[in-house]
Amino acid sequence: MNEVIKTALAEALTAAEEAQTAAQAGQFNEARALLEVVETGLTAGETRNPALMNRRLKIIRIQASVEAMLPAAEVEADAEATQAPALTEASDGAPVAAPAEEPEVAPVDEPAPAPVTLPAPTDVELPPVAQVDAPTKVRGVAAPHALPDEGWDRVAAALRAQGTDAEAREADAARHGRLQGDAEENRDTWRARVEERFALQARLEVCALRGDYAGANAAWDRLFDVVTAIRSREGAARRRGLPGAAAMRPVYDAANQDSLQVRRWARGVKVDAA
């Protein structure tokens, strides 16, 4: 049950961070869709475990900050709409500006709603949280996803058996990193996460082949968050019936299968030579 709750909260946290990024970029519809994923994750992640409760509080704070951005953005959009005069057609066919409607005046005697005060995080020593592939724990923070050194050695052996070349994969990581940067500059958060996934997969393979266990674990830990973000975005699109949802599912399935393959190799599952 703990694993189910941790997975739900991980998805909610990633969706909350994605919603915050989308709201800051002005993509308010996307932010609202991601907040639905956050709410689903919080509902599925209800727990009395102190460590997981701290994680829920962090998600709730991010959720509140995103929700605070959305009404302000809607007011600004409405103000711009009322300031822009509508065009009508005169008798001679030339477009003319229609008279602007008088904006509604808000009652002056209505007090503003009081800000919501969120509970402060507790600063107590927390009991250890079981996590299969993470040997260490930070107080109040989920332990990073990591594999033991011998697990990465087995991954490296499997990659060599398939004929994987470290320099070629290093070039792949750099190329996908550039594409990720381009997508982020264009505020295409979906493409940015997909390109980051490819870059991280290539980077962890390079680190495994070169015996860089710390680098491999850093890429592996971040890859977990990125794949979770891809899954959250695909789920949100599918539930809303968006046209691109069908094309998003294979992207998540491929990312998930690559991650599962790394885990199998780390456990010593043999592969045939290429």
Side-chain angles (χ1 to χ4, degrees):
M1 178 60 70
N2 269 348
E3 290 300 322
V4 174
I5 293 173
K6 283 191 288 185
T7 299
L9 291 178
E11 292 181 1
L13 177 58
T14 302
E17 292 172 343
E18 290 280 329
Q20 188 175 52
T21 300
Q24 291 169 347
Q27 300 172 351
F28 304 117
N29 289 335
E30 181 178 347
R32 292 188 193 94
L34 288 166
L35 285 179
E36 295 177 6
V37 179
V38 173
E39 192 61 38
T40 301
L42 288 173
T43 301
E46 292 182 356
T47 177
R48 295 182 180 179
N49 184 304
L52 298 181
M53 287 175 66
N54 272 1
R55 195 181 308 176
R56 280 176 57 83
L57 288 176
K58 177 180 179 181
I59 296 168
I60 291 170
R61 290 190 194 95
I62 298 174
Q63 181 188 38
S65 70
V66 175
E67 290 173 345
M69 282 187 259
L70 296 182
E74 290 171 353
V75 170
E76 292 173 4
D78 291 341
E80 292 178 359
T82 56
Q83 290 172 4
L87 294 180
T88 59
E89 190 172 289
S91 58
D92 59 357
V96 297
E101 296 181 0
E102 289 293 329
E104 295 182 2
V105 180
V108 295
D109 57 345
E110 292 186 5
V116 178
T117 303
L118 295 173
T122 180
D123 189 17
V124 297
E125 192 68 30
L126 300 175
V129 179
Q131 188 155 334
V132 175
D133 57 353
T136 59
K137 178 182 74 68
V138 179
R139 185 175 64 181
V141 180
H145 290 75
L147 297 176
D149 293 355
E150 58 271 19
W152 286 117
D153 288 339
R154 286 191 284 267
V155 171
L159 290 169
R160 292 190 186 97
Q162 287 191 334
T164 304
D165 180 75
E167 292 185 358
R169 292 301 280 155
E170 191 169 37
D172 289 339
R175 178 169 58 85
H176 287 294
R178 289 192 298 271
L179 293 173
Q180 177 193 345
D182 293 342
E184 289 175 346
E185 185 175 348
N186 294 326
R187 295 181 177 179
D188 186 348
T189 55
W190 167 255
R191 174 53 55 186
R193 296 291 75 78
V194 173
E195 295 298 342
E196 185 178 8
R197 194 285 275 196
F198 286 127
L200 289 167
Q201 184 71 34
R203 191 177 307 153
L204 72 84
E205 291 179 12
V206 171
C207 291
L209 290 167
R210 294 177 176 171
D212 180 2
Y213 305 128
N217 278 325
W220 180 243
D221 184 51
R222 175 58 186 166
L223 184 63
F224 175 84
D225 293 335
V226 171
V227 174
T228 301
I230 290 174
R231 175 184 178 185
S232 298
R233 293 288 298 277
E234 181 274 330
R238 176 166 32 84
R239 285 188 293 273
R240 295 173 63 195
L242 297 181
M248 295 169 77
R249 182 67 190 189
V251 175
Y252 165 67
D253 288 339
N256 190 44
Q257 285 302 314
D258 283 349
S259 295
L260 290 175
Q261 183 63 78
V262 170
R263 289 191 180 93
R264 286 194 289 265
W265 286 341
R267 291 196 304 268
V269 177
K270 295 182 179 180
V271 298
D272 296 330

